[in-house]
Amino acid sequence: MVSPALAAPGLRLDARELLALREEALRTERALPASRRPGAVPAGAPGAGMDLREIRAFAEGDDARRIDPSATARTGMPHIRSFHEDRDDTLLLIVDFRRPMLWGTGASLRSVRAARLAARRGWQAVARGASLAAIGVSAEGVAAIPLAGGVPQMVRVCHMLASCHDRALAGGGVVPSLEEAFIRAMRLCPPGGEVLVATGPDGLAPEDEPALARLARRRLVRVLLPLDRIETAPPAFALPLRAGGRARLAQLRPFDHGALAQRLRVLNVGLEVVADDAG
């Protein structure tokens, strides 16, 4: 149960505020893309279609049935044929509610802003007829809603995110990794789909990277990074910091997301920074 002290807007996530984002999302959503079947848009994702995309070196996890004999014989190394496919218009939302996300100096906790960002993208996906799934990660574990479409599905997602956030506020101090969420995501989101991961600057641990790289191999994966104002425009003066029984003055620096962007780029993952309190 969430303490009454945490029931204020911006601290507790209310499903009603996520549901209310529907109209805002509809105003910003572009027209439905042309497609050859409901829920599909032409895309350049590698898949099992008929149009050749590239011939490249074989990598772990590739389908051995696609090995190209000529390129393999010519180079002396296994090469495969990669084809274009129609990308399913599928969106998977992964929202991080672990303890480091339960923080903020603005009007809302980072965790609440992350959920709002994800909900906006979810409503936009519903508006264009996409299928949707969602994962919430907290100290209580991983909660998931399998793939489905339509407004009722997004309503379920909103309630799941709010419930998961409540459990995070009431939970203990265990900080699980995102690896389990990424492994679950590979089952929830088909190849060619899109995955949005809303987390913080320190949300991705080194041990999460192999699973994230596998997830991004045949999916469009982006990290949504809602930054706090103190991370983008810290005070120009030193602040007192206390850790245990020790105290000191320290000058804060703006968060530089360049290193994180490069780290994600190696994994074939994009980064979208939200550097204000609009979330």
Side-chain angles (χ1 to χ4, degrees), residues 26-109:
L26 290 178
R27 289 195 298 268
T28 58
E29 174 58 19
R30 294 176 294 183
L32 287 172
S35 63
R36 286 178 287 173
R37 66 178 190 274
V41 296
M50 298 299 295
D51 297 326
L52 181 65
R53 180 173 184 263
E54 63 178 346
I55 297 177
R56 59 172 175 80
F58 183 87
E60 182 182 356
D62 286 334
D63 189 346
R65 293 173 297 180
R66 297 184 192 167
I67 288 180
D68 184 273
S70 299
T72 299
R74 184 172 61 254
T75 63
M77 298 178 59
H79 278 64
I80 68 163
R81 288 173 172 255
S82 177
F83 297 90
H84 290 294
E85 68 173 355
D86 287 338
R87 177 172 61 86
D88 286 337
D89 195 356
T90 300
L91 176 64
L92 170 62
L93 303 171
I94 301 177
V95 186
D96 185 358
F97 293 135
R98 297 173 300 167
R99 188 172 61 174
M101 295 289 288
L102 306 177
W103 173 87
T105 65
S108 303
L109 299 179

Side-chain angles (χ1 to χ4, degrees), residues 123-141:
W123 282 120
Q124 291 168 5
V126 168
R128 66 175 183 263
S131 298
L132 184 72
I135 292 175
V137 185
S138 71
E140 300 297 312

